Coordinates of all heavy atoms in Angstrom, one line a residue:
A151 N 14.1 -21.4 -59.0 CA 14.6 -22.5 -59.9 C 13.4 -23.1 -60.5 O 12.3 -23.3 -59.9 CB 15.4 -23.5 -59.1
L157 N 13.2 -31.7 -62.0 CA 12.6 -33.0 -62.0 C 13.0 -33.8 -63.2 O 13.3 -35.0 -63.1 CB 11.0 -32.8 -62.0 CG 10.2 -34.1 -62.1 CD1 10.5 -35.0 -60.8 CD2 8.7 -33.8 -62.2
T220 N 36.6 -21.0 -84.3 CA 35.7 -22.0 -84.8 C 34.4 -21.3 -85.4 O 33.9 -21.7 -86.4 CB 35.3 -22.9 -83.7 OG1 36.4 -23.5 -83.1 CG2 34.4 -24.0 -84.3

Side-chain angles (χ1 to χ4, degrees):
L157 179 61
T220 305

